[in-house]
Amino acid sequence: MDTPNTTTDAGIPAPSDDHSLTVGSDGPILLQDHYLIQKMAQFNRERVPERVVHAKGAGAHGTFEVFPDAETPAWTKADFLQPGKKTEMFARFSTVAGELGSADTVRDPRGFSLKFYTDEGNYDLVGNNTPIFFVKDPNKFQDFIHSQKRRSDTGRRDNNMQWDFWTLRRESTHQVAFLMSDRGTPRTLRNMNGYGSHTFTWINAEGEAFYVKYHFKTDQGIDNFTAEEADQHTMVDADFHRADLWNAIEGGNFPSWTLEMQIMPVDEVDDYRFNPFDLTKVWPHSDYPPVKIGRMTLNRNPSDYFAEVEQAAFEPSNMVPGIEASPDKMLLGRLFSYPDTHRHRIGANYMQLPINRPKAEVNSYNKDGQMRYENPGDPVYAPNSVGGPHADEERFGEDFTPTVQGHFTREPARQHSPEDNDTAQVTSFWEQVLTEDERTNMVSNIVGHAGADEVTDEMKERVISYWTDVADDLGKRVADGLRADADETAGDNR
């Protein structure tokens, strides 16, 4: 069978696949061997900087289809959310704290990022497999991530450093409880839910606004590893989740998730018992029952991992008409942070990469920069009088503009009621959501993590206090476990 000729990246036939150009067979290599130079220079640049967070991931293509009987027109005019509408999309799942080579099954939240290629432009939903997060103000996000990464001196991760941050920021308790439960080690990416986590704003065609939360419920059922099972898979196959997702789709076992929405009329915000924009809290389903909207199905594997999964760029600021932000402070911070990191990581023109390129027509005045391969042409400025595109503020400006007043300040959001605190919902999670077996596993996971050699005795007492604030019996069980662990260690050292 005839095979094609190897070429340079410019399409020029390559002189050799095997041998450099030298002075004689044993002589020095010549600088004029441009093909060798190209191969070496390209290889040196194969790796773009990895994501600071969510570095290790897997992804797949699919579709999102709104149920024919969905009542979405009552809440949003977003075209891709109208009854019966089917939209191409791409999903990326990830661990948060680990690097590119880390194991899939370690205890960690999982990223759950979705890109919908709608007729009105890309809509990105950048969430996690938990409905809440560790902090509620973007000013603390960088500090939180630093505490979960590696120490500057040893280059190692440090459990004492993690607990130091968590116990000093009690708002983290809800998410840490999720993390330390079996939900921190999902069995597969297919067996976990995904959440938009933040509160968003939907606006309907009449201009009415609603605050909403996204819940993608796995149709495969929730299934988690115990800590022991997760550790075993970490040793056997560091890419277990990536392999499972790929093999399921390759075998025609297409995973799916049902989108359910919680919807709150905007006039109920002020009197609601919790701050609805606090990312460390959930809206109880008894207050706002989830409404089924549609189904996401993943049915096609990437053909090139780097081009599609690694270079996929999700940003919460990509919101189509009918969807807007909310006063959620973490969301507002992420509107800047995500596109900014993409410009650093993969270049200013990352939106022209095929995986990020919208299906809708692009009419932008942005131009030039590294790796730009398509410029808008003249005119390159607005306003202009020569027929260039113009923004239709009446049709596509902000639909919902709530009144805001107050002095510049740096302080927490207003507490809505005495139960609007950092532990009330965590107590409910411990007492009402988890089974007794799950509570036992959670205590074991906490004790195992906080009992690490680097965790100081003073820090262990802070950990006990941290969980006692949630529930007395939880604090006691953690204390008993840590002290038993300490006694066992002391016995081993005798």
Side-chain angles (χ1 to χ4, degrees):
M1 183 179 69
D2 292 338
T3 58
N5 290 323
T6 306
T7 71
T8 70
D9 289 343
I12 301 167
S16 173
D17 284 323
D18 303 311
H19 305 293
S20 304
L21 184 64
T22 61
V23 179
S25 59
D26 298 324
I29 293 174
L30 295 171
L31 184 62
Q32 71 191 63
D33 189 349
H34 62 91
Y35 183 55
L36 170 65
I37 300 302
Q38 181 197 82
K39 288 181 71 174
M40 290 193 299
Q42 173 65 29
F43 178 79
N44 292 344
R45 292 162 175 79
E46 280 185 0
R47 298 294 178 264
V48 300
E50 75 174 40
R51 289 169 166 87
V52 178
V53 289
H54 298 278
K56 175 74 180 293
H61 298 267
T63 59
F64 174 72
E65 189 166 7
V66 182
F67 295 137
D69 59 350
E71 299 179 12
T72 45
W75 305 304
T76 179
K77 63 181 180 180
D79 179 69
F80 85 103
L81 289 171
Q82 300 311 299
K85 187 77 174 184
K86 189 173 185 178
T87 303
E88 293 182 23
M89 48 88 58
F90 182 78
R92 185 179 187 271
F93 310 104
S94 55
T95 51
V96 174
E99 297 89 358
L100 273 172
S102 60
D104 288 348
T105 52
V106 296
R107 185 168 304 281
D108 207 359
R110 267 50 182 195
F112 196 99
S113 297
L114 311 176
K115 184 181 294 293
F116 302 89
Y117 302 101
T118 87
D119 294 336
E120 299 176 302
N122 288 356
Y123 176 56
D124 290 351
L125 190 65
V126 190
N128 285 318
N129 69 330
T130 61
I132 34 80
F133 195 62
F134 297 90
V135 293
K136 62 181 74 174
D137 190 302
N139 200 15
K140 298 311 301 171
F141 178 78
Q142 295 72 218
D143 300 302
F144 160 66
I145 293 299
H146 286 166
S147 75
Q148 310 304 296
K149 289 288 191 174
R150 297 179 181 272
R151 291 178 58 95
S152 297
D153 51 2
T154 66
R156 299 175 62 195
R157 295 180 69 178
D158 187 316
N159 291 10
N160 194 76
M161 185 165 66
Q162 295 182 3
W163 285 108
D164 189 30
F165 181 90
W166 289 337
T167 56
L168 291 174
R169 300 296 300 188
R170 293 301 176 100
E171 69 202 65
S172 67
T173 315
H174 202 175
Q175 177 75 317
V176 178
F178 267 70
L179 177 63
M180 291 297 162
S181 75
D182 290 340
R183 301 178 188 208
T185 50
R187 184 171 293 273
T188 77
L189 300 173
R190 299 177 295 117
N191 293 110
M192 68 182 191
N193 291 339
Y195 302 88
S197 301
H198 297 288
T199 300
F200 295 88
T201 308
W202 276 7
I203 302 99
N204 66 19
E206 286 70 46
E208 297 174 302
F210 303 85
Y211 290 127
V212 302
K213 283 185 176 288
Y214 293 79
H215 303 253
F216 283 85
K217 299 297 186 70
T218 174
D219 294 328
Q220 291 67 238
I222 294 287
D223 197 4
N224 300 307
F225 281 137
T226 64
E228 183 180 3
E229 290 171 332
D231 289 345
Q232 289 173 348
H233 281 80
T234 295
M235 292 184 290
V236 173
D237 184 359
D239 298 325
F240 178 78
H241 283 169
R242 187 183 288 181
D244 174 85
L245 180 65
W246 177 280
N247 291 335
I249 295 173
E250 193 74 3
N253 182 18
F254 302 145
S256 64
W257 288 258
T258 297
L259 173 60
E260 300 179 357
M261 301 295 300
Q262 287 183 288
I263 299 168
M264 175 189 292
V266 296
D267 58 6
E268 296 183 12
V269 167
D270 289 340
D271 296 328
Y272 189 54
R273 56 201 175 102
F274 300 114
N275 174 8
F277 310 116
D278 182 346
L279 187 55
T280 68
K281 295 183 176 66
V282 298
W283 298 356
H285 290 190
S286 57
D287 293 347
Y288 296 99
V291 180
K292 292 184 178 180
I293 299 298
R295 177 165 289 116
M296 174 182 88
T297 304
L298 300 182
N299 54 25
R300 179 165 61 90
N301 281 317
S303 58
D304 186 303
Y305 179 87
F306 178 81
E308 297 165 62
V309 181
E310 187 61 23
Q311 293 197 127
F314 303 88
E315 48 197 275
S317 52
N318 283 344
M319 290 181 280
V320 296
I323 303 175
E324 295 179 6
S326 79
D328 181 333
K329 292 182 181 181
M330 283 295 292
L331 173 60
L332 297 177
R334 294 176 82 199
L335 298 184
F336 164 78
S337 179
Y338 277 66
D340 184 61
T341 197
H342 300 326
R343 294 184 189 101
H344 162 71
R345 195 175 71 87
I346 49 180
N349 293 305
Y350 64 94
M351 286 300 298
Q352 291 197 343
L353 294 169
I355 191 63
N356 300 319
R357 192 177 180 90
K359 300 292 192 292
E361 182 178 356
V362 175
N363 296 305
S364 168
Y365 288 108
N366 292 328
K367 64 189 290 284
D368 299 347
Q370 289 185 340
M371 303 302 290
R372 187 90 184 187
Y373 70 88
E374 185 175 277
N375 265 324
D378 292 321
V380 293
Y381 57 90
N384 62 75
S385 57
V386 290
H390 70 280
D392 189 336
E393 296 182 21
E394 186 172 331
R395 290 182 60 197
F396 301 117
E398 287 74 17
D399 286 302
F400 181 57
T401 53
T403 300
V404 178
Q405 62 181 10
H407 300 290
F408 289 179
T409 184
R410 294 184 185 272
E411 60 185 37
R414 174 178 65 87
Q415 188 176 18
H416 283 221
S417 71
E419 61 179 319
D420 189 2
N421 57 53
D422 293 330
T423 57
Q425 292 196 351
V426 197
T427 304
S428 297
F429 177 73
W430 168 256
E431 295 178 345
Q432 301 172 25
V433 176
L434 298 180
T435 66
E436 179 53 34
D437 284 345
E438 290 171 332
R439 285 192 284 268
T440 298
N441 288 346
M442 177 174 161
V443 170
S444 175
N445 295 335
I446 293 170
V447 170
H449 193 278
D453 291 343
E454 69 269 21
V455 180
T456 65
D457 290 341
E458 184 272 336
M459 187 63 65
K460 290 174 183 174
E461 292 302 316
R462 282 165 55 181
V463 171
I464 293 168
S465 173
Y466 182 81
W467 294 113
T468 301
D469 284 351
V470 173
D472 288 340
D473 64 319
L474 172 56
K476 183 179 185 305
R477 290 168 70 168
V478 170
D480 291 345
L482 286 173
R483 287 161 186 159
D485 184 63
D487 291 342
E488 182 178 342
T489 301
D492 291 342
N493 293 333
R494 289 194 185 102

